[in-house]
Amino acid sequence: MTPIGLMDSLKDRLQLLLTDYSSSQPSGTLPVQVHSGYLPIRNNAGEKNSFVYILAFSGTDTKEMGAVKVEFGFSIYDDDKVDGWRSLFNVMEHVREDLLKNRFVDMEYRLEFPLEFKVADDQPFPQWQGTIVATYTIAQPVEEGFNYDDYQETKTTYRDYSR
């Protein structure tokens, strides 16, 4: 029930959702890749695959709940100079509809509104890029301490997490 768990759960979900999506590249047809967190560092200047990344980029905690903002970044390869942009919109809409239909992720995280999307003004042809930004609730740890009638005394405990 952490931001990393949310990113990994969304990655698994979108990988299944986008199984049938691919892009035709000079070397053949390649599937749309889904990445949790930052994109892997490229070691060569080969083809730029179509991909989606899922990155939790900020969070807030209130008395009632914790929330994490998640960016879904899309980069879809299509070398059609007239209608290539449609490939981006097709994948983004497929993901957007799935997020709205299935607002709970692993019964631990819930999608909150608004859900926002944006397509970049300048497109690095033949890649077409856009983003969806969503907010998900996450669990908060329970405060530790002692309750003496109406007086709450908190005690800081230190745990050794290195084991």
Side-chain angles (χ1 to χ4, degrees):
M1 291 193 268
T2 66
I4 291 174
L6 173 60
M7 290 186 295
D8 289 343
S9 293
L10 287 167
K11 175 197 178 265
D12 294 343
R13 181 168 144 185
L14 292 189
Q15 193 69 61
L16 288 172
L17 179 70
L18 299 175
T19 300
D20 295 334
Y21 285 81
S22 60
S23 61
S24 297
Q25 305 219 8
S27 65
T29 302
L30 298 174
V32 174
Q33 298 174 345
V34 181
H35 300 279
S36 175
Y38 289 97
L39 292 172
I41 295 173
R42 295 175 51 106
N43 294 325
N44 60 42
E47 294 177 342
K48 295 180 178 157
N49 300 335
S50 294
F51 62 83
V52 178
Y53 68 82
I54 302 157
L55 180 64
F57 67 92
S58 72
T60 56
D61 287 304
T62 65
K63 186 176 181 179
E64 292 80 28
M65 65 180 221
V68 173
K69 283 196 177 268
V70 176
E71 180 176 88
F72 298 82
F74 298 82
S75 184
I76 306 300
Y77 179 94
D78 193 322
D79 60 3
D80 184 333
K81 293 180 180 177
V82 176
D83 287 327
W85 60 272
R86 292 179 187 272
S87 294
L88 170 66
F89 276 82
N90 188 31
V91 173
M92 286 181 68
E93 182 61 15
H94 195 61
V95 169
R96 186 186 75 83
E97 288 177 5
D98 183 71
L99 296 176
L100 292 171
K101 287 179 189 175
N102 305 291
R103 295 189 184 153
F104 282 95
V105 178
D106 290 346
M107 297 309 292
E108 294 180 13
Y109 315 97
R110 185 176 195 286
L111 175 67
E112 298 292 323
F113 289 105
L115 184 66
E116 303 169 20
F117 77 92
K118 183 177 182 177
V119 175
D121 290 334
D122 294 323
Q123 295 291 336
F125 181 82
Q127 296 292 131
W128 301 91
Q129 298 178 341
T131 59
I132 293 176
V133 176
T135 302
Y136 284 89
T137 58
I138 61 170
Q140 290 180 314
V142 177
E143 182 180 10
E144 297 178 357
F146 300 99
N147 188 355
Y148 299 104
D149 293 327
D150 290 334
Y151 176 74
Q152 176 77 26
E153 179 181 319
T154 59
K155 176 183 175 188
T156 304
T157 57
Y158 297 97
R159 293 193 176 111
D160 183 5
Y161 291 106
S162 62
R163 291 184 230 162

